[in-house]
Amino acid sequence: MPRLIGRVFDVLANLDQVTIGAINGYAVGGGWSIAAAFDFAIAVEGAEFWVPEVDLAVAYRGAPAIALAARLGPWRAKEAILICRHYQAEELFAMGLLNRVVKPQELMRAARE
């Protein structure tokens, strides 16, 4: 599964067109990796992001880990990956890692905009 997530990440990150991610609920592990690959990311209020791999004794590495570190910065990436810290969409928006946070019923409209 980690290799598949890496491939999906690579495809999304290297597309010649703009990509928009609409995140509704949880973006966990590979889901957060995929969300980090989009050019624009919009999440619903209360959406949660975390990397559970260390808790599951699985290595989190490769392009997704590098991208997460590039987006979060080295200290926050270590916190996310090694401590398995949960982040709320609002917190990631405040850190500049999401483009928008919207109410659930507004998600698809916001993504289409």
Side-chain angles (χ1 to χ4, degrees), residues 21 25 27 31 40 47 59 64-66 70 74 80-82 89 92 99-100 110:
F40 296 96
I66 293 167
I81 295 168
L82 299 176
L92 293 180
N99 296 93
R100 291 178 68 185

Side-chain angles (χ1 to χ4, degrees), residues 21-86:
I23 301 134
N24 185 11
Y26 298 106
V28 180
W32 193 359
S33 299
I34 290 170
F38 291 114
D39 295 307
F40 296 96
I42 302 166
V44 298
E45 297 171 343
E48 291 186 44
F49 299 73
W50 76 93
V51 178
E53 275 77 353
V54 169
D55 280 348
L56 300 171
V58 176
Y60 185 74
R61 60 178 193 249
I66 293 167
L68 194 60
R71 299 234 177 176
L72 285 172
W75 289 359
R76 285 193 174 123
K78 288 177 185 176
E79 181 179 63
I81 295 168
L82 299 176
I83 301 173
C84 304
R85 184 176 184 281
H86 291 225

Side-chain angles (χ1 to χ4, degrees), residues 6-32:
R7 285 190 214 131
V8 170
F9 173 88
D10 288 338
V11 167
L12 285 172
N14 294 301
L15 284 174
D16 289 333
Q17 67 248 12
V18 174
T19 57
I20 302 166
I23 301 134
N24 185 11
Y26 298 106
V28 180
W32 193 359

